[in-house]
Amino acid sequence: MSLPIIDQEYFTKFLVDLLNIPSPTGFAEPAIEFVEKELSQYKQLELSRTRKGALVAKWDSATSIGRGMQTNLPPVALTAHVDTLGAVVKEIKPNGRLKLVRVGGIQWNSVETEGVWVFTTKGEKIRGSVLINKASGHIYGVKGSKTKRDDEHMEVRLDERTTSEKETRELGINVGDCVAFDPRVEVTNGFIRSRFLDDKACVANLVAAIKSMAEAGLSPARTVYFLISNYEEVGHGAAAGIPSEVEELVTVDMAVVGKGQASDEFHATLCTKDGGGPYHFGLNNKMRALAEKHDIPYKTDVYTFYGSDGEAFWRAGGDVALALIGPGIDASHNYERAHMDGLNATTNWILAYLLEG
Ligand SMILES: [Zn+2]
């Protein structure tokens, strides 16, 4: 069986649009809505939400309108997350600027001078940028470059006329408001450079796979649930939302690229162990066999400072076989970059899994 064609143009546009929707953990609803709207065009899918706000799409193989080689095996699931690293307003400073606390551990040096949106509880968004508190070279000289980039020394300068805590509060900003960093998306020579390819790239992989199958008139071999989670970056995204009858869960999330890693931007990766321990031997082997059968370029790798949504489900008591696949992402949780080769390999792997069961 050959895999259906992936619509490259669609994939890139969907991913760029999704990257441009701010969705830090705690404020991921606009991105969930965007994916929900996109998937609502496929009548094969039954969409629902968890109480926590995650999106679930069920594709029932038995009632499927497409062609396929349906089996009577129990359902499977795939998951990816739309929430990203971000921040929350910790204090409004006497000078009217904001002190932030990070959500999910973004590296301050990587967002220094970046544009931000502050989302107020009244539904407004206020523009600003992240600076060290000794930013002016003409005032601080070398002290600026020697300043430690940490919660204490970074601040948000709002693009509003405010020089006091009172004036900032009058803008509608409160302690606890969500803050999003600009993604800075750029597509060049097959590379996609942006913050938060983790894990929006993999959400695009899932959506593109669904589109390819639907347009080819194909249906999954087994009933499948897609969980688009909204709390992964803080460790418990997919802890809820996977139905108990699901037998296998494939987490689709970025592969770590850099010194000491086997992964690269031109392959998909099967991670056999990360910070949460080893994945499921049997499902790992099944994923390898699928990749080999369909000539999907892949690596196997081990990640250190990494935990996945599948593990969140395991820790919450989920009883499934679990695997983790995904495209190589350079400089993860920093200014990330992926390549279409690794992204296509991941979409094809998902297609092979859906079609063969
Ligand atoms: Zn991730």
Side-chain angles (χ1 to χ4, degrees), residues 204-223:
N205 291 139
L206 291 177
V207 172
I210 290 168
K211 177 181 153 74
S212 294
M213 282 186 41
E215 287 181 351
L218 297 166
S219 53
R222 298 168 70 160
T223 293

Side-chain angles (χ1 to χ4, degrees), residues 105-153:
I106 203 158
Q107 301 173 57
W108 280 126
N109 60 299
S110 77
V111 287
E112 184 176 354
T113 75
E114 193 57 277
V116 298
W117 289 109
V118 181
F119 297 95
T120 73
T121 48
K122 292 212 170 94
E124 281 171 60
K125 53 180 198 175
I126 294 171
R127 194 70 178 148
S129 53
V130 181
L131 297 168
I132 50 163
N133 62 0
K134 292 186 175 60
S136 170
H138 295 95
I139 299 171
Y140 300 104
V142 294
K143 274 192 204 146
S145 53
K146 286 185 176 153
T147 298
K148 194 155 194 277
R149 274 61 179 165
D150 60 12
D151 293 16
E152 212 43 50
H153 297 97

Side-chain angles (χ1 to χ4, degrees), residues 34-330:
F34 176 76
V35 179
E36 185 173 46
K37 187 158 177 272
E38 193 60 31
L39 293 183
S40 67
Q41 65 186 295
Y42 302 108
K43 299 301 162 227
Q44 299 91 324
L45 302 177
E46 186 186 316
L47 302 182
S48 61
R49 292 287 199 100
T50 65
R51 296 185 191 97
K52 193 166 157 182
L55 175 65
V56 180
K58 180 186 182 187
W59 192 341
D60 192 330
S61 67
T63 61
S64 198
I65 56 176
R67 292 177 289 119
M69 19 184 265
Q70 282 84 356
T71 66
N72 289 320
L73 294 168
V76 296
L78 291 119
T79 188
H81 64 96
V82 285
D83 63 305
T84 72
L85 305 180
V88 161
V89 177
K90 171 70 172 57
E91 286 173 44
I92 301 172
K93 297 168 77 165
N95 64 2
R97 297 188 177 196
L98 309 175
K99 205 166 144 181
L100 301 180
V101 62
R102 293 171 297 158
V103 173
I106 203 158
Q107 301 173 57
W108 280 126
N109 60 299
S110 77
V111 287
E112 184 176 354
T113 75
E114 193 57 277
V116 298
W117 289 109
V118 181
F119 297 95
T120 73
T121 48
K122 292 212 170 94
E124 281 171 60
K125 53 180 198 175
I126 294 171
R127 194 70 178 148
S129 53
V130 181
L131 297 168
I132 50 163
N133 62 0
K134 292 186 175 60
S136 170
H138 295 95
I139 299 171
Y140 300 104
V142 294
K143 274 192 204 146
S145 53
K146 286 185 176 153
T147 298
K148 194 155 194 277
R149 274 61 179 165
D150 60 12
D151 293 16
E152 212 43 50
H153 297 97
M154 306 303 286
E155 63 184 16
V156 171
R157 174 187 62 191
L158 298 164
D159 297 332
E160 298 282 345
R161 290 183 175 237
T162 170
T163 53
S164 70
E165 179 184 346
K166 183 170 173 284
E167 285 171 316
T168 295
R169 284 194 183 276
E170 281 166 5
L171 295 168
I173 292 176
N174 280 299
V175 169
D177 288 349
C178 290
V179 177
F181 304 100
D182 285 358
R184 252 201 289 156
V185 189
E186 207 174 302
V187 181
T188 310
N189 290 336
F191 288 99
I192 300 183
R193 170 155 51 82
S194 177
R195 292 182 207 295
F196 317 132
L197 286 163
D198 172 13
D199 188 29
K200 290 177 171 177
C202 300
V203 174
N205 291 139
L206 291 177
V207 172
I210 290 168
K211 177 181 153 74
S212 294
M213 282 186 41
E215 287 181 351
L218 297 166
S219 53
R222 298 168 70 160
T223 293
V224 56
Y225 291 88
F226 300 92
L227 175 72
I228 308 298
S229 87
N230 58 341
Y231 276 90
E232 193 275 350
E233 291 293 1
V234 292
H236 56 73
I242 307 283
S244 58
E245 71 265 28
V246 163
E247 201 172 59
E248 295 173 354
L249 172 60
V250 177
T251 307
V252 192
D253 207 334
M254 50 142 288
V256 182
V257 171
K259 190 166 182 277
Q261 296 302 128
S263 304
D264 66 33
E265 293 157 282
F266 313 106
H267 292 74
T269 295
L270 174 79
C271 172
T272 64
K273 181 200 173 294
D274 63 17
Y279 284 83
H280 187 271
F281 185 74
L283 187 54
N284 284 348
N285 281 348
K286 180 172 169 178
M287 297 312 291
R288 283 180 218 259
L290 283 171
E292 272 150 33
K293 179 175 172 189
H294 292 277
D295 287 326
I296 295 165
Y298 81 104
K299 306 262 186 181
T300 57
D301 209 351
V302 169
Y303 313 147
T304 309
F305 303 109
Y306 194 113
S308 76
D309 244 348
E311 281 162 348
F313 185 59
W314 262 3
R315 286 184 203 287
D319 183 19
V320 288
L322 179 65
L324 169 62
I325 62 166
I329 303 285
D330 188 62

